[in-house]
Amino acid sequence: MKKLFALLSVLVFASMLLAACGTPAPVATEAPAAAEAPAATEAPAVATEAPAAEQVTITIESWRNDDLAIWEDQIIPAFEAKNPNINVVFAPSAPAEYNGVLNTKLEGGTAGDLITCRPFDASLSLYDKGYLASLNDLSGMENFGDVAKSAWITDDGSNVFCVPMASVIHGFFYNKDIFDKYGIQEPATREEFFAALETLKSNGETAIVMGTADQWESATMGFQNIGPVYWKGEEGRKALIDGSGKYTDAAYVQTWTDLKDLAPYLPEGYQAVKYPDSQSLFTLGKGAIYPTGSWEISQFEKDATFNLGIFPPYVENAGDTCYISDHTDIAIGMNAATAHPEEAKTFLSWVASDEFAKLYANALPGFFPLSNAQVTLDDPLANEFLSWRQTCESTIRNSYQILSRGEPNLENELWRVSAAVMNESLTPEQAAQEIQDGLDSWYQP
């Protein structure tokens, strides 16, 4: 019995030894997994990939579908090079459809983070509806003056809601070869201007290329081009808004008188000449002077077979202050409902920078920075247009802010009466009275 007990004791002891010896086995097989080098080195890899996971894409709504390649190839790469965590997508609509498409997207909550802004009432309406954010505190807005911001600010001046991007400048293109042929110098005064027209006409040339069939040319490229010198730019424009000035004032009657006086120098049958016809006549060398603006640069440089020149709107007398319509045309704002406000503001601040001003102005000759950046342009004609800001006072078209909100619509009425004056079916005085009567019928300063 004692032997049996001893035997059992030995067996139990042995089994305990075996169990004790076997304990490390699971630990040994699990240890490599717990201390595996790959697992230890993978943790930092996750940390270094974190910025990629934080990348944000912001989208720009625009009507400038012609500019898609410029944005994709030049503008966006320049921004992303400095802001690698922000991807930008330029997603334009067709120009004629933009307002409707944008409003539908905004109402449905599907609009992009950034909204390209048309001037004045269209964008003001978006702000009033809460679709555009106030940008008063945006870094870079200090680079813009009152005229630049005037198209994207509330009536009381308390909130600016888009960053101004570009304007277009009015003036006159001319055929240098024809001028040289007759020894004509660029006219600076009204007297010199009409003397040049008379010289051209007496030599069988079409002096001024412009038609009245589309009407808007008469107002935009005629009335708003030569008129600011008479109504003293911003002084006169603001006087119309506050009621201290009227379209029956001498400054406006004189502007329409100048348009009437252009009629003998226009192309034969000018009443039927449309805007594309005028462009073609000029680039084909069939007219000496073309009243228009900087937006024509690219096409004219491509199509004209002669040396192009430009000169600013004439003044009444030598030494007078010159005025140019430096018209606010395009800006960009922030969708108030964007999910990425900080990234959107980063982009908008860059749009307000000198770097963007230079880049945009050279990518689109004739569309000029609205900031106070000193920009030298690669295109000689664009650079010459831009230089006028240093010698002339800038203003904008006087029908665009506030005054075209009612009916009859002031802008459309200016088209009608300016064409009628050039067609000699209205006198300058009649045009002035009709415009003021129409404005008085609905507008109270």
Side-chain angles (χ1 to χ4, degrees):
M1 185 70 178
K2 289 182 179 179
K3 289 183 178 180
L4 178 60
F5 180 79
L7 179 60
L8 289 172
S9 297
V10 169
L11 290 172
V12 169
F13 182 74
S15 66
M16 291 175 65
L17 283 175
L18 288 173
C21 291
T23 302
V27 176
T29 58
E30 288 174 9
E36 244 175 26
T41 57
E42 279 173 14
V46 172
T48 57
E49 289 173 6
E54 294 170 4
Q55 285 217 342
V56 167
T57 295
I58 56 176
T59 301
I60 302 173
E61 303 282 357
S62 177
W63 72 87
R64 296 284 305 176
N65 52 6
D66 288 346
D67 301 344
L68 180 61
I70 290 168
W71 279 88
E72 291 184 340
D73 297 342
Q74 298 182 53
I75 298 173
I76 291 174
F79 172 78
E80 291 181 345
K82 293 188 172 182
N83 300 274
N85 290 336
I86 305 176
N87 299 318
V88 182
V89 175
F90 186 71
S93 306
E97 300 170 5
Y98 179 67
N99 288 9
V101 169
L102 178 61
N103 276 285
T104 298
K105 287 183 176 181
L106 288 168
E107 290 167 6
T110 61
D113 307 273
L114 297 163
I115 309 297
T116 303
C117 303
R118 284 185 156 137
F120 296 102
D121 290 352
S123 294
L124 177 60
S125 175
L126 296 181
Y127 174 77
D128 287 342
K129 292 175 182 177
Y131 292 134
L132 289 173
S134 173
L135 300 178
N136 287 350
D137 299 327
L138 182 78
S139 174
M141 287 305 299
E142 67 276 6
N143 296 332
F144 301 93
D146 291 343
V147 173
K149 293 185 288 189
S150 63
W152 302 284
I153 199 168
T154 52
D155 291 350
D156 62 5
S158 62
N159 281 290
V160 61
F161 44 83
C162 296
V163 178
M165 288 170 61
S167 70
V168 289
I169 296 176
H170 291 244
F172 293 83
F173 278 81
Y174 71 95
N175 185 320
K176 279 189 172 183
D177 296 347
I178 293 178
F179 268 45
D180 289 346
K181 182 178 179 180
Y182 303 111
I184 300 172
Q185 302 297 313
E186 291 181 5
T189 66
R190 185 186 191 280
E191 182 180 0
E192 292 170 354
F193 181 79
F194 280 93
L197 299 186
E198 189 59 37
T199 298
L200 292 162
K201 182 183 178 183
S202 65
N203 282 283
E205 301 284 354
T206 296
I208 287 277
V209 181
M210 180 189 281
T212 59
D214 289 333
Q215 295 191 339
W216 72 266
E217 285 179 89
S218 307
T220 303
M221 294 150 70
F223 183 82
Q224 300 286 4
N225 192 350
I226 63 177
V229 70
Y230 292 119
W231 61 72
K232 308 303 179 189
E234 285 296 279
E235 178 184 331
R237 185 183 76 83
K238 291 179 177 178
L240 291 172
I241 294 173
D242 68 26
S244 62
K246 293 185 178 297
Y247 275 101
T248 48
D249 293 344
Y252 303 96
V253 174
Q254 184 59 55
T255 302
W256 277 305
T257 298
D258 282 18
L259 291 188
K260 175 184 70 69
D261 291 346
L262 290 180
Y265 305 104
L266 297 175
E268 185 176 351
Y270 66 88
Q271 298 89 342
V273 172
K274 294 179 177 290
Y275 177 53
D277 303 326
S278 298
Q279 291 175 306
S280 295
L281 286 170
F282 181 69
T283 55
L284 289 171
K286 296 183 178 180
I289 301 173
Y290 187 61
T292 182
S294 60
W295 60 89
E296 307 277 14
I297 288 176
S298 295
Q299 180 172 339
F300 282 5
E301 287 183 330
K302 176 174 64 72
D303 294 342
T305 57
F306 51 83
N307 293 310
L308 286 164
I310 58 172
F311 59 86
Y314 52 81
V315 297
E316 285 189 90
N317 302 296
D320 287 353
T321 300
C322 64
Y323 293 84
I324 53 172
S325 179
D326 189 353
H327 189 67
T328 45
D329 188 63
I330 188 170
I332 189 165
M334 184 173 78
N335 183 348
T338 177
H340 309 294
E342 293 309 312
E343 290 80 6
K345 288 178 181 177
T346 297
F347 184 84
L348 291 175
S349 290
W350 181 72
V351 170
S353 71
D354 289 7
E355 179 188 2
F356 177 86
K358 180 178 180 180
L359 182 63
Y360 192 80
N362 280 301
L364 290 164
F367 290 82
F368 303 108
L370 281 164
S371 72
N372 54 22
Q374 298 300 307
V375 176
T376 299
L377 305 179
D378 298 332
D379 185 282
L381 284 177
N383 212 37
E384 187 175 349
F385 265 112
L386 190 62
S387 72
W388 297 348
R389 286 182 177 173
Q390 309 306 314
T391 54
C392 301
E393 297 291 328
S394 291
T395 186
I396 58 176
R397 299 169 195 163
N398 63 13
S399 56
Y400 269 58
Q401 186 179 30
I402 300 175
L403 299 181
S404 288
R405 292 178 183 173
E407 292 296 336
N409 180 274
L410 175 62
E411 175 69 3
N412 292 341
E413 284 293 279
L414 286 175
W415 296 4
R416 178 182 66 82
V417 303
S418 296
V421 167
M422 296 182 76
N423 292 341
E424 301 182 280
S425 59
L426 276 182
T427 67
E429 293 77 12
Q430 289 171 329
Q433 194 62 57
E434 288 192 17
I435 288 295
Q436 190 58 48
D437 287 347
L439 193 58
D440 287 343
S441 71
W442 66 267
Y443 180 65
Q444 298 299 318

